[in-house]
Amino acid sequence: MNLQQLRYVFEVARNGLNVSEAAAALHTSQPGVSKQIKLLEGELGFDLFEREGRTLTRVTPAGKQVVERALRILDETKNIRRLS
């Protein structure tokens, strides 16, 4: 797990499960976002999002917890940067 993956998960949730919009907001590619989310799900051993085919349909209950924690972690990284 890394900060980039947490940013991607948070941004997808923030953009209404639209991976393309999340990728645009992150200045990266949609396939890259999708791949990193799948890698994180594999590492965690559970899905963060429910899917119908390739479309994300909702955040899973476990995914909601991850998104909430990711937001706190990302906020703290901003606080650490402010120290410098």
Side-chain angles (χ1 to χ4, degrees):
M1 176 184 327
N2 60 53
L3 286 175
Q4 178 184 18
Q5 291 171 325
L6 296 178
R7 276 189 202 93
Y8 288 4
V9 168
F10 174 75
E11 202 62 37
V12 167
R14 191 174 76 82
N15 281 279
L17 306 180
N18 188 315
V19 179
S20 295
E21 286 181 17
L26 293 161
H27 307 290
T28 191
S29 69
Q30 177 273 323
V33 172
S34 295
K35 179 180 179 180
Q36 288 302 313
I37 289 173
K38 289 300 282 179
L39 287 171
L40 180 58
E41 288 176 328
E43 180 180 340
L44 295 174
F46 56 84
D47 289 338
L48 301 172
F49 302 100
E50 289 185 7
R51 294 167 175 82
E52 286 184 17
R54 295 180 144 199
T55 304
L56 302 182
T57 56
R58 75 181 196 101
V59 182
T60 65
K64 287 180 185 179
Q65 291 182 35
V66 172
V67 170
E68 290 169 4
R69 286 176 170 88
L71 175 59
R72 287 196 301 262
I73 291 166
L74 295 170
D75 283 344
E76 282 303 313
T77 61
K78 290 176 191 172
N79 291 334
I80 291 169
R81 284 191 184 109
R82 286 186 197 125
L83 293 173
S84 59

Coordinates of all heavy atoms in Angstrom, one line a residue:
M1 N 0.8 -1.2 0.0 CA 0.0 0.0 0.0 C 0.9 1.2 0.0 O 1.9 1.3 0.7 CB -0.9 0.0 1.3 CG -1.7 1.2 1.4 SD -2.7 1.2 2.9 CE -3.1 -0.4 3.3
N2 N 0.5 2.2 -0.8 CA 1.2 3.5 -0.8 C 0.3 4.7 -0.9 O -0.9 4.5 -1.1 CB 2.3 3.5 -1.9 CG 1.7 3.3 -3.3 OD1 0.8 4.1 -3.7 ND2 2.1 2.3 -4.1
L3 N 0.9 5.8 -0.7 CA 0.1 7.1 -0.7 C -0.6 7.3 -2.0 O -1.8 7.8 -2.1 CB 0.9 8.3 -0.3 CG 1.3 8.4 1.1 CD1 2.3 9.6 1.3 CD2 0.1 8.6 2.0
Q4 N 0.1 6.9 -3.1 CA -0.5 7.1 -4.4 C -1.8 6.3 -4.5 O -2.8 6.8 -5.0 CB 0.5 6.7 -5.5 CG -0.1 6.8 -6.9 CD 0.9 6.3 -7.9 OE1 1.8 5.5 -7.6 NE2 0.7 6.6 -9.2
Q5 N -1.8 5.1 -4.1 CA -3.0 4.2 -4.2 C -4.1 4.8 -3.3 O -5.3 4.8 -3.7 CB -2.7 2.8 -3.7 CG -1.8 2.1 -4.7 CD -1.3 0.8 -4.2 OE1 -1.0 0.6 -3.0 NE2 -1.1 -0.2 -5.0
L6 N -3.8 5.3 -2.2 CA -4.8 5.9 -1.3 C -5.4 7.2 -2.0 O -6.6 7.4 -1.9 CB -4.2 6.3 0.1 CG -3.8 5.1 0.9 CD1 -3.2 5.5 2.2 CD2 -4.9 4.1 1.1
R7 N -4.5 8.0 -2.6 CA -5.0 9.2 -3.4 C -6.0 8.7 -4.4 O -7.0 9.4 -4.7 CB -3.9 9.9 -4.0 CG -3.2 10.9 -3.1 CD -2.2 11.8 -3.9 NE -1.2 12.3 -3.0 CZ -0.1 11.8 -2.7 NH1 0.3 10.7 -3.3 NH2 0.7 12.3 -1.8
Y8 N -5.7 7.7 -5.2 CA -6.5 7.2 -6.3 C -7.9 6.7 -5.7 O -8.9 7.1 -6.3 CB -5.8 6.1 -7.0 CG -4.6 6.5 -7.9 CD1 -4.2 7.8 -7.9 CD2 -4.0 5.6 -8.7 CE1 -3.1 8.2 -8.7 CE2 -2.9 6.0 -9.5 CZ -2.5 7.3 -9.5 OH -1.4 7.6 -10.3
V9 N -7.8 5.9 -4.7 CA -9.1 5.5 -4.1 C -10.0 6.6 -3.6 O -11.2 6.7 -3.9 CB -8.8 4.5 -2.9 CG1 -10.1 4.2 -2.1 CG2 -8.2 3.2 -3.5
F10 N -9.4 7.6 -2.9 CA -10.1 8.7 -2.4 C -10.7 9.5 -3.6 O -11.9 9.9 -3.6 CB -9.2 9.6 -1.5 CG -10.0 10.9 -1.2 CD1 -11.0 10.8 -0.2 CD2 -9.6 12.1 -1.8 CE1 -11.6 12.0 0.1 CE2 -10.3 13.2 -1.4 CZ -11.3 13.2 -0.5
E11 N -9.9 9.8 -4.6 CA -10.3 10.6 -5.7 C -11.4 9.9 -6.5 O -12.4 10.6 -7.0 CB -9.1 10.9 -6.6 CG -9.3 12.1 -7.5 CD -9.5 13.4 -6.7 OE1 -8.8 13.6 -5.7 OE2 -10.3 14.3 -7.2
V12 N -11.4 8.6 -6.7 CA -12.4 7.9 -7.4 C -13.7 8.0 -6.6 O -14.8 8.3 -7.1 CB -12.1 6.4 -7.6 CG1 -13.3 5.6 -8.0 CG2 -11.0 6.3 -8.6
A13 N -13.7 7.9 -5.3 CA -14.9 8.0 -4.4 C -15.4 9.4 -4.5 O -16.6 9.7 -4.6 CB -14.6 7.6 -3.0
R14 N -14.5 10.4 -4.5 CA -14.9 11.8 -4.5 C -15.5 12.2 -5.9 O -16.4 13.1 -5.9 CB -13.6 12.7 -4.3 CG -13.9 14.2 -4.0 CD -12.7 14.9 -3.6 NE -11.8 15.2 -4.8 CZ -12.0 16.2 -5.6 NH1 -13.0 17.0 -5.5 NH2 -11.2 16.4 -6.6
N15 N -15.1 11.5 -6.9 CA -15.6 11.8 -8.3 C -16.8 10.9 -8.6 O -17.0 10.6 -9.8 CB -14.5 11.7 -9.3 CG -13.6 13.0 -9.3 OD1 -14.0 14.0 -9.9 ND2 -12.5 12.9 -8.6
G16 N -17.5 10.5 -7.7 CA -18.7 9.7 -8.0 C -18.5 8.4 -8.7 O -19.3 8.0 -9.5
L17 N -17.4 7.8 -8.4 CA -17.0 6.5 -8.9 C -16.6 6.5 -10.4 O -16.5 5.5 -11.1 CB -18.0 5.4 -8.7 CG -18.5 5.2 -7.2 CD1 -19.5 4.1 -7.2 CD2 -17.3 4.9 -6.3
N18 N -16.3 7.7 -10.9 CA -15.9 7.9 -12.3 C -14.4 7.9 -12.3 O -13.8 8.9 -12.0 CB -16.5 9.2 -12.8 CG -16.3 9.4 -14.3 OD1 -15.2 9.1 -14.8 ND2 -17.3 9.8 -15.0
V19 N -13.8 6.8 -12.8 CA -12.4 6.6 -12.8 C -11.7 7.6 -13.8 O -10.7 8.2 -13.5 CB -12.0 5.2 -13.1 CG1 -10.5 5.0 -13.2 CG2 -12.6 4.2 -12.1
S20 N -12.4 7.9 -14.9 CA -11.8 8.8 -15.9 C -11.7 10.2 -15.3 O -10.7 10.9 -15.5 CB -12.7 8.9 -17.1 OG -12.6 7.6 -17.8
E21 N -12.8 10.7 -14.6 CA -12.7 12.0 -14.0 C -11.7 12.0 -12.9 O -10.9 13.0 -12.7 CB -14.1 12.4 -13.4 CG -15.1 12.8 -14.5 CD -16.4 13.2 -13.9 OE1 -16.5 13.5 -12.7 OE2 -17.4 13.2 -14.7
A22 N -11.6 11.0 -12.1 CA -10.5 10.9 -11.0 C -9.1 11.0 -11.7 O -8.3 11.7 -11.2 CB -10.7 9.6 -10.2
A23 N -8.9 10.3 -12.7 CA -7.6 10.3 -13.4 C -7.3 11.7 -13.9 O -6.2 12.1 -13.8 CB -7.6 9.3 -14.6
A24 N -8.3 12.4 -14.5 CA -8.1 13.7 -15.0 C -7.7 14.6 -13.8 O -6.8 15.5 -13.9 CB -9.3 14.2 -15.7
A25 N -8.4 14.5 -12.7 CA -8.1 15.3 -11.5 C -6.7 15.1 -11.0 O -6.0 16.0 -10.4 CB -9.1 15.1 -10.4
L26 N -6.2 13.8 -11.1 CA -4.9 13.4 -10.6 C -3.8 13.6 -11.7 O -2.7 13.3 -11.4 CB -5.0 12.0 -10.2 CG -5.8 11.7 -9.0 CD1 -6.2 10.2 -8.9 CD2 -5.1 12.1 -7.7
H27 N -4.2 14.1 -12.9 CA -3.3 14.2 -14.0 C -2.5 12.9 -14.3 O -1.3 12.9 -14.5 CB -2.3 15.4 -13.7 CG -2.9 16.6 -13.3 ND1 -3.6 17.4 -14.1 CD2 -3.0 17.2 -12.1 CE1 -4.1 18.5 -13.5 NE2 -3.7 18.4 -12.2
T28 N -3.3 11.9 -14.5 CA -2.7 10.6 -14.8 C -3.7 9.9 -15.7 O -4.8 10.4 -16.1 CB -2.4 9.8 -13.5 OG1 -1.7 8.6 -13.9 CG2 -3.7 9.3 -12.8
S29 N -3.5 8.6 -16.1 CA -4.3 7.9 -17.0 C -5.4 7.1 -16.2 O -5.1 6.6 -15.1 CB -3.5 7.0 -17.9 OG -2.9 5.9 -17.1
Q30 N -6.5 6.9 -16.9 CA -7.5 6.0 -16.3 C -7.0 4.6 -16.1 O -7.3 4.0 -15.1 CB -8.8 6.1 -17.2 CG -9.9 5.2 -16.8 CD -9.8 3.8 -17.3 OE1 -9.4 3.6 -18.5 NE2 -10.2 2.8 -16.5
P31 N -6.3 4.0 -17.1 CA -5.9 2.6 -16.9 C -4.9 2.5 -15.7 O -4.9 1.5 -14.9 CB -5.1 2.2 -18.1 CG -5.8 3.1 -19.2 CD -6.1 4.4 -18.5
G32 N -4.1 3.6 -15.5 CA -3.2 3.6 -14.3 C -3.9 3.6 -13.0 O -3.6 2.9 -12.0
V33 N -5.0 4.4 -12.9 CA -5.8 4.5 -11.7 C -6.5 3.1 -11.4 O -6.4 2.6 -10.3 CB -6.9 5.6 -11.8 CG1 -7.8 5.5 -10.6 CG2 -6.2 6.9 -11.9
S34 N -7.1 2.5 -12.5 CA -7.7 1.2 -12.3 C -6.8 0.2 -11.9 O -7.1 -0.6 -11.0 CB -8.4 0.8 -13.7 OG -9.4 1.7 -14.0
K35 N -5.6 0.2 -12.5 CA -4.6 -0.9 -12.1 C -4.2 -0.7 -10.6 O -4.1 -1.7 -9.9 CB -3.4 -0.7 -13.0 CG -2.3 -1.7 -12.7 CD -1.1 -1.6 -13.6 CE 0.0 -2.6 -13.2 NZ 1.1 -2.5 -14.1
Q36 N -3.9 0.5 -10.2 CA -3.5 0.7 -8.8 C -4.5 0.3 -7.8 O -4.3 -0.2 -6.8 CB -3.0 2.1 -8.6 CG -1.7 2.4 -9.3 CD -0.6 1.5 -8.8 OE1 -0.4 1.3 -7.6 NE2 0.2 1.0 -9.8
I37 N -5.8 0.6 -8.2 CA -6.9 0.2 -7.3 C -7.0 -1.3 -7.2 O -7.1 -1.9 -6.1 CB -8.2 0.8 -7.7 CG1 -8.2 2.3 -7.4 CG2 -9.4 0.2 -7.0 CD1 -9.3 3.1 -8.0
K38 N -6.9 -2.0 -8.3 CA -6.9 -3.5 -8.3 C -5.7 -4.0 -7.5 O -5.9 -5.0 -6.8 CB -6.9 -4.0 -9.7 CG -8.2 -3.8 -10.5 CD -9.4 -4.4 -9.8 CE -9.5 -5.9 -10.1 NZ -10.7 -6.5 -9.4
L39 N -4.6 -3.4 -7.7 CA -3.4 -3.9 -6.9 C -3.6 -3.7 -5.4 O -3.3 -4.6 -4.6 CB -2.1 -3.2 -7.3 CG -1.6 -3.5 -8.7 CD1 -0.4 -2.6 -9.1 CD2 -1.0 -5.0 -8.7
L40 N -4.2 -2.6 -5.0 CA -4.5 -2.4 -3.6 C -5.5 -3.4 -3.1 O -5.4 -3.9 -2.0 CB -4.9 -0.9 -3.4 CG -5.3 -0.6 -1.9 CD1 -4.1 -0.8 -1.0 CD2 -5.8 0.9 -1.8
E41 N -6.6 -3.6 -3.9 CA -7.6 -4.6 -3.5 C -7.0 -5.9 -3.3 O -7.3 -6.7 -2.4 CB -8.7 -4.6 -4.5 CG -9.6 -3.4 -4.5 CD -10.7 -3.4 -5.6 OE1 -10.4 -3.9 -6.7 OE2 -11.7 -2.8 -5.3
G42 N -6.1 -6.3 -4.2 CA -5.4 -7.6 -4.1 C -4.5 -7.7 -2.8 O -4.5 -8.7 -2.2
E43 N -3.9 -6.6 -2.5 CA -3.0 -6.6 -1.3 C -3.9 -6.7 0.0 O -3.6 -7.4 0.9 CB -2.2 -5.3 -1.3 CG -1.3 -5.2 -0.1 CD -0.5 -3.9 -0.1 OE1 -0.3 -3.3 -1.1 OE2 0.0 -3.5 1.0
L44 N -5.0 -6.0 -0.1 CA -5.9 -5.9 1.1 C -6.7 -7.2 1.3 O -7.1 -7.6 2.4 CB -6.8 -4.7 1.1 CG -6.1 -3.4 1.2 CD1 -7.2 -2.3 1.0 CD2 -5.4 -3.2 2.5
G45 N -7.0 -7.9 0.1 CA -7.8 -9.1 0.2 C -9.3 -8.9 0.1 O -10.0 -9.8 0.4
F46 N -9.7 -7.7 -0.2 CA -11.2 -7.4 -0.4 C -11.4 -6.3 -1.4 O -10.5 -5.5 -1.7 CB -11.8 -7.1 1.0 CG -11.2 -5.9 1.7 CD1 -11.6 -4.6 1.4 CD2 -10.3 -6.1 2.7 CE1 -11.0 -3.5 2.1 CE2 -9.7 -5.0 3.4 CZ -10.1 -3.7 3.1
D47 N -12.6 -6.2 -1.9 CA -12.9 -5.2 -2.9 C -13.2 -3.9 -2.2 O -13.9 -3.9 -1.2 CB -14.1 -5.6 -3.8 CG -13.8 -6.7 -4.7 OD1 -12.6 -6.9 -5.1 OD2 -14.7 -7.4 -5.2
L48 N -12.8 -2.8 -2.8 CA -13.1 -1.5 -2.3 C -14.4 -1.0 -3.0 O -15.1 -0.1 -2.4 CB -12.0 -0.5 -2.5 CG -10.6 -0.9 -1.9 CD1 -9.5 0.0 -2.3 CD2 -10.8 -0.9 -0.4
F49 N -14.6 -1.4 -4.2 CA -15.7 -1.0 -5.0 C -16.5 -2.2 -5.6 O -15.9 -3.2 -5.9 CB -15.3 -0.1 -6.2 CG -14.5 1.1 -5.7 CD1 -13.1 1.1 -5.8 CD2 -15.1 2.2 -5.3 CE1 -12.4 2.2 -5.4 CE2 -14.4 3.3 -4.9 CZ -13.0 3.3 -4.9
E50 N -17.8 -2.1 -5.7 CA -18.6 -3.1 -6.4 C -18.6 -2.7 -7.8 O -18.6 -1.5 -8.2 CB -20.0 -3.1 -5.8 CG -20.1 -3.7 -4.4 CD -21.5 -3.9 -4.0 OE1 -22.5 -3.7 -4.7 OE2 -21.7 -4.2 -2.8
R51 N -18.6 -3.7 -8.7 CA -18.5 -3.5 -10.1 C -19.6 -4.3 -10.9 O -20.0 -5.3 -10.4 CB -17.2 -4.0 -10.6 CG -16.0 -3.2 -10.1 CD -14.7 -3.9 -10.4 NE -13.5 -3.2 -10.0 CZ -13.0 -3.1 -8.8 NH1 -13.6 -3.7 -7.8 NH2 -12.0 -2.4 -8.6
E52 N -20.1 -3.7 -11.9 CA -20.9 -4.4 -12.9 C -20.1 -4.3 -14.2 O -20.0 -3.2 -14.8 CB -22.2 -3.7 -13.1 CG -23.2 -3.9 -11.9 CD -24.5 -3.3 -12.1 OE1 -24.9 -3.0 -13.3 OE2 -25.2 -3.2 -11.1
G53 N -19.5 -5.4 -14.6 CA -18.5 -5.4 -15.7 C -17.3 -4.5 -15.3 O -16.7 -4.8 -14.3
R54 N -17.0 -3.5 -16.1 CA -15.9 -2.6 -15.8 C -16.3 -1.4 -15.1 O -15.5 -0.5 -14.7 CB -15.2 -2.2 -17.1 CG -14.6 -3.4 -17.8 CD -13.9 -3.0 -19.1 NE -12.7 -3.8 -19.2 CZ -11.8 -3.5 -20.0 NH1 -11.8 -2.4 -20.7 NH2 -10.7 -4.3 -20.1
T55 N -17.6 -1.2 -14.8 CA -18.2 0.0 -14.2 C -18.2 -0.1 -12.7 O -18.8 -1.1 -12.2 CB -19.6 0.3 -14.8 OG1 -19.5 0.4 -16.2 CG2 -20.2 1.6 -14.2
L56 N -17.7 0.9 -12.0 CA -17.9 0.9 -10.5 C -19.3 1.3 -10.2 O -19.7 2.3 -10.7 CB -16.8 1.8 -9.9 CG -15.4 1.5 -10.2 CD1 -14.5 2.6 -9.5 CD2 -15.0 0.1 -9.8
T57 N -19.9 0.6 -9.3 CA -21.3 0.9 -9.0 C -21.5 1.5 -7.6 O -22.5 2.2 -7.4 CB -22.2 -0.3 -9.2 OG1 -21.7 -1.4 -8.3 CG2 -22.3 -0.8 -10.6
R58 N -20.7 1.1 -6.7 CA -20.7 1.7 -5.3 C -19.5 1.3 -4.5 O -18.8 0.4 -4.9 CB -22.0 1.3 -4.6 CG -22.1 -0.1 -4.1 CD -23.4 -0.4 -3.4 NE -23.3 -1.6 -2.6 CZ -23.1 -1.6 -1.3 NH1 -23.1 -0.5 -0.6 NH2 -23.0 -2.7 -0.6
V59 N -19.3 2.0 -3.5 CA -18.2 1.7 -2.5 C -18.7 0.6 -1.6 O -19.8 0.7 -1.1 CB -17.8 3.0 -1.8 CG1 -16.6 2.7 -0.8 CG2 -17.5 4.1 -2.7
T60 N -17.9 -0.4 -1.4 CA -18.3 -1.4 -0.4 C -18.2 -0.9 1.0 O -17.5 0.1 1.2 CB -17.3 -2.7 -0.6 OG1 -16.0 -2.3 -0.2 CG2 -17.3 -3.2 -2.0
P61 N -18.8 -1.6 2.0 CA -18.7 -1.1 3.4 C -17.2 -1.1 3.8 O -16.8 -0.1 4.4 CB -19.5 -2.2 4.1 CG -20.5 -2.7 3.2 CD -19.8 -2.7 1.8
A62 N -16.4 -2.0 3.5 CA -15.0 -2.0 3.8 C -14.3 -0.9 3.1 O -13.4 -0.2 3.6 CB -14.3 -3.3 3.5
G63 N -14.7 -0.6 1.8 CA -14.2 0.4 1.0 C -14.4 1.8 1.6 O -13.6 2.7 1.6
K64 N -15.6 2.0 2.2 CA -16.0 3.2 2.9 C -15.0 3.5 4.0 O -14.5 4.6 4.2 CB -17.4 3.2 3.4 CG -18.4 3.3 2.3 CD -19.8 3.3 2.9 CE -20.8 3.3 1.7 NZ -22.2 3.2 2.2
Q65 N -14.7 2.5 4.8 CA -13.7 2.6 5.9 C -12.3 3.0 5.3 O -11.7 3.9 5.9 CB -13.6 1.4 6.7 CG -14.9 1.1 7.5 CD -14.8 -0.2 8.3 OE1 -13.7 -0.5 8.8 NE2 -15.9 -0.9 8.4
V66 N -11.9 2.4 4.2 CA -10.6 2.7 3.6 C -10.6 4.2 3.1 O -9.7 4.9 3.3 CB -10.3 1.7 2.5 CG1 -9.0 2.2 1.8 CG2 -10.1 0.3 3.1
V67 N -11.7 4.6 2.5 CA -11.8 6.0 2.0 C -11.7 7.0 3.1 O -11.0 8.0 3.0 CB -13.1 6.2 1.1 CG1 -13.3 7.6 0.8 CG2 -13.0 5.3 -0.2
E68 N -12.4 6.7 4.2 CA -12.4 7.6 5.4 C -11.0 7.7 5.9 O -10.5 8.8 6.2 CB -13.3 7.1 6.4 CG -14.8 7.3 6.1 CD -15.7 6.6 7.0 OE1 -15.3 6.0 8.0 OE2 -17.0 6.6 6.7
R69 N -10.3 6.6 6.1 CA -8.9 6.6 6.6 C -8.0 7.2 5.6 O -7.0 7.9 6.0 CB -8.5 5.1 6.9 CG -9.2 4.6 8.2 CD -8.9 3.2 8.5 NE -9.4 2.8 9.8 CZ -10.6 2.3 10.0 NH1 -11.4 2.2 9.1 NH2 -10.9 1.9 11.3
A70 N -8.2 7.0 4.3 CA -7.3 7.6 3.3 C -7.4 9.1 3.4 O -6.3 9.8 3.3 CB -7.7 7.1 1.9
L71 N -8.6 9.6 3.6 CA -8.7 11.1 3.7 C -7.9 11.6 4.9 O -7.2 12.6 4.8 CB -10.2 11.4 3.8 CG -10.5 12.9 4.1 CD1 -9.9 13.8 3.0 CD2 -12.0 13.1 4.3
R72 N -8.0 10.9 6.0 CA -7.3 11.3 7.2 C -5.8 11.3 7.0 O -5.0 12.2 7.3 CB -7.7 10.5 8.4 CG -9.0 10.8 9.0 CD -9.3 10.3 10.4 NE -9.1 8.9 10.5 CZ -10.1 8.0 10.5 NH1 -11.4 8.4 10.3 NH2 -9.9 6.7 10.6
I73 N -5.3 10.2 6.3 CA -3.9 10.1 6.0 C -3.4 11.2 5.1 O -2.4 11.8 5.3 CB -3.6 8.7 5.5 CG1 -3.8 7.6 6.6 CG2 -2.2 8.6 4.9 CD1 -3.8 6.2 6.1
L74 N -4.2 11.4 4.0 CA -3.8 12.4 3.1 C -3.8 13.8 3.7 O -2.9 14.7 3.4 CB -4.7 12.4 1.8 CG -4.6 11.1 1.0 CD1 -5.7 11.0 0.0 CD2 -3.3 10.9 0.4
D75 N -4.8 14.1 4.6 CA -4.8 15.4 5.3 C -3.5 15.5 6.2 O -2.9 16.6 6.3 CB -6.0 15.5 6.2 CG -7.3 15.9 5.4 OD1 -7.1 16.3 4.2 OD2 -8.4 15.7 5.9
E76 N -3.1 14.4 6.8 CA -1.9 14.5 7.7 C -0.7 14.7 6.8 O 0.3 15.4 7.3 CB -1.8 13.2 8.5 CG -2.7 13.2 9.7 CD -2.5 14.4 10.6 OE1 -1.3 14.7 11.0 OE2 -3.5 15.0 11.0
T77 N -0.6 14.1 5.6 CA 0.6 14.4 4.8 C 0.6 15.9 4.4 O 1.7 16.4 4.4 CB 0.6 13.6 3.5 OG1 -0.6 13.9 2.7 CG2 0.6 12.1 3.8
K78 N -0.5 16.5 4.2 CA -0.5 18.0 4.0 C 0.0 18.7 5.2 O 0.8 19.7 5.1 CB -1.9 18.5 3.7 CG -2.4 18.0 2.3 CD -3.8 18.5 2.1 CE -4.4 17.8 0.8 NZ -5.8 18.1 0.7
N79 N -0.4 18.3 6.4 CA 0.1 18.9 7.6 C 1.6 18.8 7.8 O 2.2 19.7 8.3 CB -0.7 18.3 8.9 CG -2.1 18.7 8.9 OD1 -2.5 19.7 8.4 ND2 -2.9 17.9 9.5
I80 N 2.1 17.6 7.5 CA 3.5 17.4 7.6 C 4.3 18.3 6.6 O 5.3 18.9 7.0 CB 3.9 15.9 7.3 CG1 3.4 15.1 8.5 CG2 5.4 15.7 7.1 CD1 3.4 13.6 8.2
R81 N 3.7 18.5 5.4 CA 4.4 19.4 4.4 C 4.4 20.8 4.9 O 5.3 21.6 4.7 CB 3.6 19.3 3.1 CG 4.0 18.0 2.3 CD 3.5 18.1 0.9 NE 3.8 16.8 0.3 CZ 2.8 15.9 -0.1 NH1 1.6 16.2 0.2 NH2 3.2 14.8 -0.6
R82 N 3.3 21.2 5.6 CA 3.2 22.6 6.2 C 4.3 22.9 7.2 O 4.7 24.0 7.4 CB 1.9 22.8 6.8 CG 0.8 23.0 5.8 CD -0.5 23.3 6.5 NE -1.6 23.1 5.5 CZ -2.7 22.3 5.8 NH1 -2.8 21.8 6.9 NH2 -3.6 22.1 4.8
L83 N 4.9 21.8 7.8 CA 5.9 22.0 8.8 C 7.2 22.5 8.2 O 8.0 23.2 8.8 CB 6.2 20.7 9.5 CG 5.2 20.1 10.4 CD1 5.5 18.7 10.9 CD2 4.9 21.0 11.6
S84 N 7.4 22.2 6.9 CA 8.6 22.7 6.3 C 8.4 24.0 5.8 O 8.6 24.9 5.4 CB 9.0 21.7 5.1 OG 8.0 21.7 4.1

